[in-house]
Amino acid sequence: MTLIEPKTNSESFIAVPQKRSFGARVKREWNKNAIVYVFLIPVLIHFFIFQIFPFAFSFVLTFLDWKIIGDPEFVGLKNWQRFLEDKLAWKAIWNTVLFSIYYIIPTMALGLILALIINSGVRMKALFKGIFFLPVVTSFVIIAGIWGWLFRGTESGMINYLLSFIGVDTQLFLADSSQALLVLAGLSVFKVAGSTMIYYFAGLQSVDKQLYESARIDGASPMRIFWSITFPLLKPIHFYVAIVTTIGSFQIFDSTFLLTGGGPNYATTTIVFYLYQQGFGGLNLSYAAVLSYVLFFIILFISLIQRRYMGKETKYY
Amino acid sequence: MGKFIKYLALILLAGCFLLPFIIMTLGSFKEMQFALLDPLFWIPDDPTISNYKYLMGSGMFLRWIFNSVVITIIPVFTQMFFCAILGYIFAKKQFPGREVIFWVFMAVIMIPQQLLIIPKYIMFADFGWINTYWALIIPELWGIMGVFLVRQFLQSIPNDLEEAARIDGANDLKVFFKVILPLSVPVIATVGTFSFISNWNDLFQPLIYMTQEEMFPVTVGLASILGKEGNFGIEMAGSTLSFIPTFLIFLFFQRYFTEGIQMSGLK
């Protein structure tokens, strides 16, 4: 081991109290924390360019009329007014709300069931966990490709074929405006249930085992134990999963884009899909910016609810 | 009896979760002209590799895979590095503005990426980044989530080791590379796996920034052949090939996915 001369800038060195000039203080701070500034400053610049500036720019954009070609024109609140009167935008919001309703409870229920089974002590736990988690890491494009064929609205669609065994008539599925959103919600349940399972699994493992012991001694049935102990104790997780899934469902785009193109009859036009259509299909970039802000306010609202009820301790992603 | 039901449910559910992947793999080995007539089109009776041959021969598919590799691998490595060093900075260093900056980072996570896409499109058009890798690489060089994960992880590690190294005369960089980095391998692997999956699977951003077919990543490429009549076999072959990297990453780093999800969610 080599003995190294104590450096004058090291913190352990006793500082001589004296009035330092601003320059000297900056220099001292630099010597102490050079690593911070060398890496933090570029990252902050990057952060400003790719996060803060676009966020503000998008807001400015909502007051302009800009079609990429030509100069932007200031139009005040016209874009916002258009949004308020745009029936299709409200339909897109309503569709997204409906989608959440179709999707949140099944995702939570399936995630919880999977976690309960795996937590109850089964063989090859890791394998089954892996199988249920697989769709989470798989691209929407792959899953939607298969899903589209399974739910083909003809007699030769596999789901229709299976339904025919129990005497259900051929369904149109994605081509039926009352079913399309449900089929897309089903795809998302399949895609996301695995991550919900992981949250619940973590929650189940932190439940105090002694509670189960004493309940069993008191002669409680497994069902009773579940509804009186496990379910209520998982409350923070129910809440957290509900919030995360809701936020996710408001951002849904891929499955609509890949499978229905927003149809039939706008039944699967979600907020983000409508935003995409307006911005990049119709080149109404400023109006798309308004829609993106609407999405932002909805997500902000949901996040604030969580902040309010979960306190500072729980992070929300 | 209870045990029997439990395993029955488990195996049935696992079957449902695996079925799409089985259909994808089996379907990729079939000539698909009959797919429109047959509900069990994917069960093989005459396997062929013609779909794979077609993909390899058409040239575009390999180009899409290459594009995906480029826009995935670079951010994976830079994210691991920057998130590690920033996580260390926010967990262990004292500097003016630390709390404020971190608070701003956390607030910005609430902004949906879809909000940034329109201004970013205008900016990138201005930079000349449309149809270049820059549009998908430069914005992804580091990530707030990753910084948060590493910071959480390092906060739970006592300072003793770091102090010991300092007494031996190590400076910040040395402490980071010799002490912090080896300690944080699990969390850095988590950041890397998440970054891989999110970049490899992303559809929305490349869909907007990449308009020329030869610049598509494999997600956009697959989407472009999705649903075309008679393409099912080719689509499934393409899906299978693009799924292989995801699957391998998943197989080797499964532990980090679950750790990452737990760490980010529940504290």
Side-chain angles (χ1 to χ4, degrees), chain B residues 157-165:
Chain B
I157 282 178
N159 291 332
D160 303 359
L161 270 171
E162 194 185 338
E163 271 158 27

Side-chain angles (χ1 to χ4, degrees), chain A residues 33 35 39 46 51 54 120 123 130 137 139 145-146 149 152 156 158 198 240 251 253 258 296 315-317, chain B residues 6-7 20 36-37 39 42 93-94 106 110 112 114 119 138 142 145 172 201 226 232 235 246 258 264-265:
Chain A
N33 275 335
I35 188 176
F39 289 100
H46 183 282
Q51 306 268 341
S120 69
R123 279 162 196 275
V137 300
S139 151
I146 307 165
W149 280 83
R152 207 138 31 94
S156 65
M158 193 169 134
I198 302 289
Y240 175 79
Q251 295 176 299
F253 166 80
L258 293 164
F296 170 67
K315 311 293 189 287
Y316 52 87
Y317 33 80
Chain B
K6 191 168 81 185
Y7 274 98
L36 282 170
L37 306 170
W42 44 282
K93 302 296 290 182
Q94 293 294 333
M106 291 296 99
M110 250 189 273
Q114 294 88 350
I138 304 289
W142 69 289
M145 240 330 256
D172 284 334
N201 289 344
L226 184 86
F232 187 76
E235 186 194 320
T246 320
T258 48
S264 58

Side-chain angles (χ1 to χ4, degrees), chain A residues 253-295:
Chain A
F253 166 80
D254 293 17
S255 49
T256 295
F257 173 79
L258 293 164
L259 286 177
T260 61
N265 196 20
Y266 303 107
T268 59
T269 300
T270 58
I271 303 175
V272 179
F273 185 76
Y274 190 54
L275 183 165
Y276 168 81
Q277 264 191 331
Q278 286 295 325
F280 301 97
L283 280 184
N284 288 321
L285 290 176
S286 10
Y287 186 54
V290 171
L291 295 170
S292 73
Y293 259 92
V294 170
L295 175 71

Side-chain angles (χ1 to χ4, degrees), chain A residues 10 16 18 20-21 29 37 39 67 70 90 94 142 208-209 216-217 253 277 283-284 289:
Chain A
S10 106
V16 184
Q18 55 174 242
R20 288 171 182 278
S21 68
E29 178 62 31
Y37 299 106
F39 289 100
K67 298 210 188 304
W90 288 99
W94 173 240
I142 294 176
D208 189 355
K209 300 278 183 296
R216 231 169 272 138
I217 291 165
F253 166 80
Q277 264 191 331
L283 280 184
N284 288 321

Side-chain angles (χ1 to χ4, degrees), chain A residues 46-109:
Chain A
H46 183 282
F47 179 67
F48 183 81
I49 296 175
F50 294 105
Q51 306 268 341
I52 302 292
F53 176 74
F55 181 64
F57 184 24
S58 196
F59 192 64
V60 174
L61 211 56
T62 64
F63 302 107
L64 304 176
D65 189 11
W66 198 351
K67 298 210 188 304
I68 293 261
I69 318 133
D71 288 328
E73 185 196 338
F74 182 80
V75 293
L77 289 169
K78 214 183 98 198
N79 289 317
W80 287 94
Q81 203 184 339
R82 178 178 161 192
F83 163 70
L84 292 176
E85 291 161 3
D86 184 355
K87 286 214 176 76
L88 207 48
W90 288 99
K91 174 137 177 83
I93 293 176
W94 173 240
N95 283 341
T96 315
V97 171
L98 265 184
F99 179 86
S100 317
I101 295 170
Y102 293 157
Y103 151 78
I104 293 165
I105 301 291
T107 308
M108 292 175 72

